[in-house]
Amino acid sequence: MQQRPAKQRRRGATRFTLYMLAGAGLLLLMSAASISFGAADMDLSTAWGAIFNFDASLTEHQIIQTLRFPRTVADIIVGCSLAVCGALMQGTTRNPLADSGLMGISSGATFAIALCMAFLPSRTYGETMLFACLGAAVTTGMTYFIASLGKRGMTPQRLVLAGISISMLFGAFSQYISIKYQLGQALAYWTAGGTAGAKWSELAIVAPFFAVATLAAIALSPSVTVMSLGEDVATGLGLRTRLVKGISTVIVLVLTGLSVIVVGPVGFVGLITPHIVRYLVGVDYRYIIPASALYGALLTVTADLVGRLINKPYETPIGVIFAVVGVPYFLYLARKQRREFE
C-alpha cells in the first residue's frame, strides 16, 4: 500500500518535469517568433543579433530592442501573473470558474488607473501601480462581501455572480471617466488589452514585485493543495486557513494590479490556463501553480503574436484574442459544472 502512492508521486513528478521542459521549449520558440515577426518581418539571425550584438545604426535592431523585446517580456510577465492568480483563486475557493477578471479584481484596478489618468496626469509609474493594487483590493472586498450575504453565505455560484456584477459596475464607471474627462482612444485601446507600449523602464519597476509574488505563490502551493480538499478538511489537518486565504489574496491583488498596469484588463488567462495545466500535471497545486506560470506566459506570448499577424499591418489586442477563446470556454465550464446560479 505504501509503495503505490510512492510510485504515483514519482510518476507525477516525472510527468511534471517533462511538461515543464516541453513548455519551456515552446515558450523559447514562441518568444523568438514574437521578436522576429510583426509588421516588419525579420529573420531569426537579425532578431538574435539585436539582442546579443546590438547595433544602434540598424533600424531592425532598434525596432527589436525598443519595441518587440520589451513587449515579449511584458507578455511573459502578464501571462504568468494572471495564470498564477487563477490557479490560486481556484485552489483556495474550490471554484473552477475563479479568475481575476470574472471576480471583479481587474475592473477595480482599471477604474483606479482611469482615475489616475483623469486626475493625476503627472503621476509616476510606481504611483500608478500602487493605485491599481488599491483599486483591485477595493473591488475584491466588495465581491466577497456581496457573495457572503444571505442565509447560505458565500458559495462558488454567488462569488461568480458577485464578481461579474462588480466587473460590469466598475467597467461602467471607467467608461464614464473616459467620456467625462476625454481620455478617449488612449483608455479605449488600453482597456482592450495590449503590450505594444511596454517599455524597459516600466518593466524594471514591475519585475521585482512580479518575481516576489510569483515565488510566494509557489511557496504557498502545498497549503493551496490542502485547501483544495475543502476548508473543513484543511482545518482538521491543522492548516491555518484564514492565513492561507489572506496571503493568497494579497498575492492575487499584487499580480493583478501589475498585470492591469502593464497590459490592461485581459480576461480568461487565469481561467483557461489552470484547467489546461490540471489536465497535464494532475490536481496537486505544487505542480499546478508553477506550471500555470509557465503555460500562462506561453499562451499570452502566442496570443500576442497571433494578434499581430492575423490582420497585418494592424494589430488585434490580446484582450480580444482571449475573449474570443475564453467566453465559449467559460460557458463550457459552467455547463460542465452544472452551475445553478441563484
Side-chain angles (χ1 to χ4, degrees), residues 100-114 132 135-136 138-140 143 162-174 190 256 260 264-266:
S100 58
L102 295 175
M103 295 297 102
I105 303 174
S106 296
S107 64
T110 303
F111 177 64
I113 293 177
V138 170
T139 50
T140 300
T143 297
I164 292 174
S165 300
I166 291 298
S167 294
M168 294 177 66
L169 177 64
F170 278 83
F173 287 163
S174 298
W190 179 79
T256 302
V260 171
V266 175

Side-chain angles (χ1 to χ4, degrees), residues 206-262:
V206 168
F209 295 96
F210 156 75
V212 171
T214 303
L215 291 174
I218 294 173
L220 194 66
S221 60
S223 298
V224 178
T225 299
V226 179
M227 284 287 295
S228 67
L229 300 175
E231 191 165 347
D232 293 338
V233 175
T235 302
L237 293 173
L239 185 69
R240 300 169 66 182
T241 56
R242 290 187 178 180
L243 178 62
V244 173
K245 284 185 176 181
I247 295 174
S248 174
T249 300
V250 172
I251 293 172
V252 168
L253 293 178
V254 171
L255 290 177
T256 302
L258 295 180
S259 300
V260 171
I261 192 175
V262 172

Side-chain angles (χ1 to χ4, degrees), residues 4 37 87 111 121 168 193 196 216-217 219 222 229 231 266 268 288 319 327 339:
R4 187 175 180 181
F37 302 118
F111 177 64
M168 294 177 66
L229 300 175
E231 191 165 347
V266 175
F268 299 107
I288 290 175
V327 170
R339 294 297 183 193

Side-chain angles (χ1 to χ4, degrees), residues 18-37 44 48 51 68-81 83-84 210 214 269 273 280 289-305 308 322:
L18 291 175
Y19 278 115
M20 289 295 284
L21 291 173
L26 288 172
L27 178 59
L28 181 62
L29 179 63
M30 295 309 300
S31 297
S34 177
I35 292 171
S36 302
F37 302 118
L44 289 177
W48 291 108
I51 296 173
R68 292 188 185 174
F69 194 13
R71 179 175 187 164
T72 302
V73 173
D75 288 332
I76 292 172
I77 289 177
V78 169
C80 176
S81 297
V84 168
F210 156 75
T214 303
V269 182
T273 308
L280 297 176
I289 290 178
S292 293
L294 177 61
Y295 280 87
L298 173 61
L299 287 176
T300 307
V301 171
T302 303
D304 190 24
L305 179 61
R308 275 182 274 164
F322 276 113

